[in-house]
Amino acid sequence: MTDFITSNAKECLESGQISKKLVYEHMISKNLYIKEIVQAAKKGELREERIYELLLNYYYVCTVTVEEDKILPSIKMDDNWDSKNPFYRYEKIGITFMRNVERYV
């Protein structure tokens, strides 16, 4: 299950037509925060608190349709990204999403 789901993906799920139409997508490219974790580990400076902070701030996943996944900017965040808003890529291109309530049931 994912933290969020797009409106289109939810419609797809509700219709029962999910075969090869949905994608599990990291809202912030995981390479951004994994890189920091790896670098800190190599230096012997990795701290549990920092891992927790990174995951809390950046580890959000969203169920999207294959079509939406194709239009999302790929593994690089835009130069205008403030390094805080985990929803930036989605907002920038107008993909609407909501909290995936089913995840918490």
Side-chain angles (χ1 to χ4, degrees):
M1 296 302 282
T2 57
D3 301 297
F4 298 93
I5 187 168
T6 66
S7 302
N8 293 334
K10 186 172 182 176
E11 286 177 22
C12 188
L13 277 173
E14 290 172 348
S15 73
Q17 301 176 14
I18 59 172
S19 179
K20 299 182 182 181
K21 293 187 178 185
L22 300 177
V23 176
Y24 176 89
E25 207 275 328
H26 291 87
M27 298 183 91
I28 293 183
S29 301
K30 63 183 182 250
N31 64 324
L32 294 175
Y33 50 92
I34 298 297
K35 181 179 179 181
E36 181 176 334
I37 291 170
V38 169
Q39 289 174 343
K42 285 180 179 179
K43 294 177 183 176
E45 299 172 354
L46 186 59
R47 302 289 177 261
E48 184 177 335
E49 297 81 17
R50 183 61 182 148
I51 295 170
Y52 178 77
E53 180 183 319
L54 287 168
L55 294 178
L56 187 63
N57 291 330
Y58 298 137
Y59 189 79
Y60 293 100
V61 290
C62 187
T63 303
V64 300
T65 64
V66 170
E67 293 81 15
E68 290 168 328
D69 189 52
K70 288 178 183 176
I71 63 171
L72 277 164
S74 63
I75 63 171
K76 184 178 183 291
M77 296 300 281
D78 189 290
D79 290 337
N80 294 326
W81 181 50
D82 64 4
S83 299
K84 294 178 184 166
N85 181 3
F87 313 120
Y88 177 80
R89 292 187 308 140
Y90 288 67
E91 293 169 350
K92 183 175 180 182
I93 61 173
I95 292 179
T96 59
F97 58 91
M98 63 201 84
R99 187 157 291 282
N100 192 356
V101 178
E102 297 297 320
R103 179 177 188 266
Y104 301 101
V105 174

